Amino acid sequence: MKAKLWTIAIVFVALLGARLIWIYVDESPKPQAQAGVMDLSRWNPDNGDVVSLRGEWTFIPGKLIEPKPGEALREDEEAEYLKVPGSWDRAVAPDGTTTAYGYGTYKLKILLPPEIKREYALRLQTIRTSHKLFVDGKLAGQKGEPGTDRDSAKPRVMPYTVKFTPEGNGVELVVAVANFGYGHYGGIFEDIRFGSSEAIERSTQLRLLGNNLMMGFYLISGIYFLFLFLFRRRNKELLYFSLFFWMSLVFWSTHGERLLFWLCPSIGYVWQTRLQLFSSFGVFFSLFLVARSMFPDYDRRWVSRLISAISAITACIAITSDVTFFSKLEIPFMGAELVIFVYSFYVLFFGSLRNESGTTYSLIAAVCILMEGLVQGWHYLGYAPNAAIPPFERIVFIFAMALFIAKRFFSNMEQVEILSKRLLLADRLKNEFLANTSHEIRMPLHGMINLAQLMIDDGAQWEPRQQERLGLMVATGRRLAYLLNDILDLSKLNEGVVVLQPRAVDTRITINGVLEVMRYMTDSGKVNFENRTEPGVPPVLADEQRLMQILFQLLHYAVKSGADGVIAVQAEPAGDGERARIAIVAFCGDDTAVEAGSESELSLEISRKLIEMHGGELLVNEASFSRRIGLSFTLPLSADESPQILTGGLDSGIAETAASLSLSQTEAPVWRSGSPDAPRALIVDEDPVSLRIMANILEQEGLSVTAETDGLRGLKAWESGSDWELVVLDIMLPSMSGYDLCRHIRSKHSFYDLPVIFLTSRNQPADLLVGFNAGANDYVTEPIDASEFRARARTLLRMKQSIRDRLHMEMALFQAQIKPHFLFNTLNTIASLSETDPDRTRELLNDFASYLRGSFDLRNLDKLVPFSKEWTLVQSYLQIEQARFGNRIRVSIELPDYREFKLPPLSIQPIVENALRHGILQRFDGGQLFIGVDKEADGYRIRVRDDGVGFPPGKAEAALSGNSRAGIGLMNVHRRLIGAYGTGLTILSEQGIGTEVSFRIPIVKEGTV
């Protein structure tokens, strides 16, 4: 008992001290208005202070004055000074009586600091019940419509903020107020706060934040205790405590900042006032119900009946009568609330003094109730100047009551929990030991694997036997790493922390992706993986990540069990039509029985648990006499026949996009977006949401996007164009995997010529290495992060642009290879002919000028030029060389009648120059040069043949790779042709016989994308 009394004393003193410190320990004296003037000339608005405009305002009763802009309000003989905030009940009565109904005008002159011109603001809270606010004669704010009688006045009470910038060193506030809607206390009832616009905004936001936090706390607590009651309906105090929170929520949302009325502006003034009364009375009545239900032995039945009757009468009066009537009964209503409050305190206090577990909390709650009542009365009587005081007592009361209810509610379960913890302790310690050990071993294990791999890579200094041992060390280390991962997965499965995210999954695509990685991870000479799943197998309902993990585990099991040759995986519908069956079949390579070690058994156990979580079943069929390994499991079929389209829960725009993807596969492409003249990007992904997100990101980067959802259709889209800037591929695609599609791209485009980004939901090292080996430039894990995808795509696009700039520089370098001695010899030839053959000299000068124009034409930096332009350059060059060397150069030409096609600039002339300089002119008597253009079905083939000295063995390949001293001419043409068409130069040469260099130009139709 003494301990509880000491608890009462300590809590009471602590709460009282906190409240007094919050209210009175400040700070400097607050300015007060005197005789209608508030002097703030020495106040510094930069400090962020907010001033309450308290004190004596000038009040003119019986007049609604609306000043004109720029004119000060004139003095009035009936004016008097009235305390604000406060009631005007005595001031508006014409005969000296007391009434809340009437109208009048408030005025206050504010003197501001000199030479500080800034924006100020006012925050108005409660002005009963309609008003207009004028600042320096200008209408700045209004709530309701003030009038001279009940018919002309329209009540509306809501807090709001006005901002203004005064012209001088002072500002005049005029508030025209009318009250015909509330029968008790009219006029300016709460502080009007003044300060800089920033300070008022900050103060308002803090008040709103406090209101929102309290409302959120009440809402969550009300829902929480309501659900507790639904779980245990015998404990009525849970229901009443939930009701207390709901009433408190309504009270806080209808008082102060009145957020409920801000959210629902259609609620009129009458129902606003009724809701305020209901919530206020409801808080006290629900508190009474809580106290009575927790300590029924201290309840007096006649008192409870009296309180219930008073509450019912109050509710009837508020519903049936007009607001002007029941608002006059504010004092009787407050008296009734005081009775309920005192009785609730009595039940809580004396009920808490008995020796019961947890009653200390209820005793603290009783003290908090007492303090809450004292503070509210203190504030109502005007002794607490700060209306924004935080509800310390109510918060402590709520927590204390919640602790008391929780203590009582769970006391009967305490022993059961202790026993349960003891039973689970051993299993939890085991799982923690496995998990901690796995984490501790992981780092040094990977360090050893990486060191051994580095030693293998530096294999020149190791003997074959040592390399074999290092390889065995790496393989063993990786097996141990996989085992650690399995241990962690098994621990998570046992703890039940694995959460599935099922969706429609195409088994054929998933198996393809898994087998790609398995081929990389296993010895391809020993086993071969085959996917025997037929197209059209219905999708299964599964977590795609976990399905891939199951397949990996079972395939590893088959390999570790001695499988040799073909390991076949096949998915097919089961006989019941509701499930799919996925089977793995393999055969061992020797006559020994199939024996699986503990590591393999662990893989099976993990797979079995994951399959059971999906609602399936794992079957293991191992026949030693036939050396056969059979693994199969079942999964439920998805109701969605189109796994790539999952529109549930999406917004309408994305849902329409997803629905459009289910159209006939004959429509191509799924969509195109962006400007047709913009650089182009290709996205191939089966997920419509990811497609739309990535397309929007690339459009923002200035790309025109073509989207496909099928691997084969993506391949056709890529083949239909040659000017792609970026390709984004999902690894697992219908018809063709992303790996195969990337390999097709890399057969014609290098890493820097066309960047490829892979999308994958797995980021294991083996998965990444398979993708990089297939030709990917970068990886993005799914679900994609927009910022990461944008950064990676932007980096690859910038890399390609840098390489394109470098190629342009190489073209300029190629143009600069016009050797000075060629220019000198040409000029000497022209000079010598000028004396003997002037006509020939003029022709040669024209050819020379044409050659120079063609060589230095800026259009050579274009990707393609007309054949006629290139042929003009070749003719000019041949005319010059024939003039120099005469009959040593004999030229024959075969051109088709129609040759209007385009090709890369400077692609024929360097080949012709190479044939002359390094072929024909190496012979004393020269030789024959043949230039032919052959029309083919889908393009043109250009051939340059000479009967010169030919290439020595290996020199042709060196010329194309850039390793020849002959210059960069052929290499430059070869690289540019590969970049444009995927194929370069073909050189057929025999030393002493001659050389033929040819290349093919495909026909690109106009408008082809």
PDB file of all heavy atoms in Angstrom, residues 39 61 80 267 613 681 826 989:
ATOM      1  N   ASP A  39       2.156  47.337 -29.159  1.00  0.00           N
ATOM      2  CA  ASP A  39       3.452  47.877 -29.568  1.00  0.00           C
ATOM      3  C   ASP A  39       4.444  46.729 -29.768  1.00  0.00           C
ATOM      4  O   ASP A  39       4.912  46.117 -28.807  1.00  0.00           O
ATOM      5  CB  ASP A  39       3.957  48.850 -28.498  1.00  0.00           C
ATOM      6  CG  ASP A  39       5.219  49.585 -28.954  1.00  0.00           C
ATOM      7  OD1 ASP A  39       5.687  49.297 -30.084  1.00  0.00           O
ATOM      8  OD2 ASP A  39       5.729  50.417 -28.185  1.00  0.00           O
ATOM      9  N   PRO A  61     -19.648  47.908 -30.316  1.00  0.00           N
ATOM     10  CA  PRO A  61     -20.809  46.998 -30.347  1.00  0.00           C
ATOM     11  C   PRO A  61     -21.906  47.527 -31.256  1.00  0.00           C
ATOM     12  O   PRO A  61     -22.042  48.743 -31.471  1.00  0.00           O
ATOM     13  CB  PRO A  61     -21.254  46.965 -28.885  1.00  0.00           C
ATOM     14  CG  PRO A  61     -20.816  48.276 -28.324  1.00  0.00           C
ATOM     15  CD  PRO A  61     -19.551  48.645 -29.031  1.00  0.00           C
ATOM     16  N   GLU A  80     -15.384  50.836 -26.964  1.00  0.00           N
ATOM     17  CA  GLU A  80     -14.861  50.508 -25.646  1.00  0.00           C
ATOM     18  C   GLU A  80     -13.736  49.495 -25.808  1.00  0.00           C
ATOM     19  O   GLU A  80     -13.485  48.998 -26.907  1.00  0.00           O
ATOM     20  CB  GLU A  80     -15.977  49.931 -24.773  1.00  0.00           C
ATOM     21  CG  GLU A  80     -16.611  48.674 -25.355  1.00  0.00           C
ATOM     22  CD  GLU A  80     -17.743  48.152 -24.492  1.00  0.00           C
ATOM     23  OE1 GLU A  80     -17.428  47.510 -23.478  1.00  0.00           O
ATOM     24  OE2 GLU A  80     -18.923  48.381 -24.853  1.00  0.00           O
ATOM     25  N   ILE A 267     -20.114  19.355 -44.203  1.00  0.00           N
ATOM     26  CA  ILE A 267     -20.728  19.321 -42.869  1.00  0.00           C
ATOM     27  C   ILE A 267     -21.044  20.753 -42.444  1.00  0.00           C
ATOM     28  O   ILE A 267     -20.145  21.591 -42.338  1.00  0.00           O
ATOM     29  CB  ILE A 267     -19.809  18.637 -41.851  1.00  0.00           C
ATOM     30  CG1 ILE A 267     -19.526  17.192 -42.272  1.00  0.00           C
ATOM     31  CG2 ILE A 267     -20.426  18.662 -40.463  1.00  0.00           C
ATOM     32  CD1 ILE A 267     -18.559  16.469 -41.354  1.00  0.00           C
ATOM     33  N   MET A 613       5.414 -25.964 -49.894  1.00  0.00           N
ATOM     34  CA  MET A 613       4.883 -24.617 -49.695  1.00  0.00           C
ATOM     35  C   MET A 613       4.062 -24.165 -50.909  1.00  0.00           C
ATOM     36  O   MET A 613       3.124 -23.360 -50.767  1.00  0.00           O
ATOM     37  CB  MET A 613       6.024 -23.630 -49.452  1.00  0.00           C
ATOM     38  CG  MET A 613       6.725 -23.792 -48.113  1.00  0.00           C
ATOM     39  SD  MET A 613       8.058 -22.596 -47.891  1.00  0.00           S
ATOM     40  CE  MET A 613       7.132 -21.069 -47.841  1.00  0.00           C
ATOM     41  N   ALA A 681      15.904   2.121 -79.480  1.00  0.00           N
ATOM     42  CA  ALA A 681      16.220   1.102 -78.479  1.00  0.00           C
ATOM     43  C   ALA A 681      15.195  -0.015 -78.597  1.00  0.00           C
ATOM     44  O   ALA A 681      14.025   0.229 -78.896  1.00  0.00           O
ATOM     45  CB  ALA A 681      16.208   1.684 -77.071  1.00  0.00           C
ATOM     46  N   THR A 826      51.444  13.792-108.493  1.00  0.00           N
ATOM     47  CA  THR A 826      50.315  14.218-109.322  1.00  0.00           C
ATOM     48  C   THR A 826      50.547  15.608-109.885  1.00  0.00           C
ATOM     49  O   THR A 826      50.314  15.880-111.078  1.00  0.00           O
ATOM     50  CB  THR A 826      49.020  14.188-108.495  1.00  0.00           C
ATOM     51  OG1 THR A 826      48.826  12.866-107.992  1.00  0.00           O
ATOM     52  CG2 THR A 826      47.824  14.583-109.341  1.00  0.00           C
ATOM     53  N   SER A 989      43.176 -14.347-101.972  1.00  0.00           N
ATOM     54  CA  SER A 989      44.470 -13.953-102.542  1.00  0.00           C
ATOM     55  C   SER A 989      45.383 -15.164-102.649  1.00  0.00           C
ATOM     56  O   SER A 989      45.353 -16.072-101.796  1.00  0.00           O
ATOM     57  CB  SER A 989      45.124 -12.871-101.669  1.00  0.00           C
ATOM     58  OG  SER A 989      46.367 -12.480-102.196  1.00  0.00           O
TER      59      SER A 989
END
